[in-house]
Amino acid sequence: MKHILYMLSLLFVTSAFVGCKQNEIELYNQSSRVNFYARQRIVEFVDTDYVKKTEFKTDSFAVRIQGVNLEAPRNFCLKVMPAEGYEASPELQLADKYTFSALDTVCQTYYYRVKRPELKRGNKAFGCLVAFDQANPNHQFDKGLVELNQMLVNVRWQLRPYNWDEGDWGEYSDAKYIYMMDVLGKDYSQLTYDDFDTVSKAYEAYLAAGKPAILDDKGTPISF
């Protein structure tokens, strides 16, 4: 009887060991892949960019290695693709290739430039997708996660100052503020009390010259 119990116990232990080996999770042993760290970048051009006629803005993005750390630097390449729901694509300046050289970590930051777009209202005026270019011969990574293989770049104008005073300047509109900046050559943070008279008289002369009234966001003529 003891012999039978011993054999049954041995059989149970052996079966359990084999079962554990079969269900054991294998370590990641695929080739290193690269993913975007974030799915979206928002680049804003503001009133100071309008006054200074800023041509480009520099923005950053990060990529993350999928798998083990690299043993040597590797290159990756990017391409721009259209994004649905936007009026137009912004113009981006990307490097021909980027190099992942931070061998002691799995995340690294890179930079690209965005050309100032024409001034349009709305947060979805300009947008595009930036994706890893698997077809480029200089790209040295296999495809990573599908959901992190591309990144949305949303480029927008945000002109309105946070502290706009309607008591001084009346109801805000982009058209009014643009006219003020065109006349004065400076942004809202630099305005003085004398500037109101300057803008008001300039607009009176503008209308007196027979030029069409400037319309606000609601289609109503602006006033000072």
Side-chain angles (χ1 to χ4, degrees):
M1 185 65 179
K2 291 183 178 180
H3 179 71
I4 295 175
L5 291 175
Y6 173 78
M7 292 300 295
L8 289 174
S9 300
L10 182 62
L11 180 61
F12 174 78
V13 171
T14 303
S15 299
F17 176 76
V18 171
C20 289
K21 291 295 290 182
Q22 289 177 342
N23 295 321
E24 188 177 80
I25 298 175
E26 294 185 6
L27 295 176
Y28 184 92
N29 61 0
Q30 297 182 19
S31 60
S32 295
R33 297 154 193 259
V34 67
N35 299 302
F36 285 109
Y37 185 81
R39 298 185 184 185
Q40 176 175 271
R41 295 296 304 171
I42 296 175
V43 181
E44 286 190 338
F45 284 82
V46 296
D47 52 359
T48 53
D49 296 314
Y50 180 82
V51 171
K52 296 176 182 178
K53 302 189 185 315
T54 302
E55 188 174 2
F56 290 93
K57 271 200 168 182
T58 298
D59 188 44
S60 65
F61 65 95
V63 300
R64 173 173 287 186
I65 297 296
Q66 177 182 331
V68 298
N69 290 17
L70 297 180
E71 296 181 357
R74 284 194 195 181
N75 300 324
F76 65 89
C77 301
L78 302 175
K79 62 180 179 180
V80 176
M81 303 188 305
E84 293 184 3
Y86 291 85
E87 293 184 35
S89 293
E91 185 176 331
L92 308 185
Q93 288 189 347
L94 301 170
D96 292 334
K97 63 181 179 181
Y98 295 89
T99 302
F100 197 102
S101 57
L103 304 184
D104 59 340
T105 184
V106 295
C107 195
Q108 189 168 347
T109 300
Y110 302 88
Y111 299 91
Y112 66 106
R113 298 211 301 168
V114 181
K115 187 174 182 180
R116 181 189 66 201
E118 62 179 298
L119 209 160
K120 286 187 178 183
R121 294 182 62 248
N123 289 339
K124 298 199 71 176
F126 300 92
C128 65
L129 295 172
V130 176
F132 294 109
D133 190 358
Q134 304 291 147
N136 193 312
N138 291 318
H139 188 83
Q140 298 178 318
F141 290 91
D142 290 332
K143 189 172 183 178
L145 299 173
V146 173
E147 63 271 22
L148 293 176
N149 189 58
Q150 60 188 26
M151 172 184 67
L152 175 65
V153 177
N154 177 207
V155 180
R156 59 182 67 167
W157 276 97
Q158 188 65 43
L159 287 177
R160 179 171 183 153
Y162 73 92
N163 57 343
W164 178 272
D165 190 342
E166 292 192 358
D168 289 337
W169 294 98
E171 186 175 0
Y172 175 86
S173 71
D174 283 348
K176 174 186 280 190
Y177 189 32
I178 289 170
Y179 180 77
M180 291 166 53
M181 290 188 287
D182 287 341
V183 170
L184 300 172
K186 53 187 176 181
D187 64 86
Y188 190 79
S189 66
Q190 300 171 308
L191 300 187
T192 65
Y193 290 109
D194 295 333
D195 289 328
F196 181 85
D197 288 338
T198 301
V199 172
S200 181
K201 291 177 181 177
Y203 191 56
E204 288 177 4
Y206 171 91
L207 294 176
K211 296 181 181 180
I214 298 173
L215 305 181
D216 64 16
D217 302 337
K218 301 175 183 177
T220 305
I222 66 172
S223 61
F224 293 97

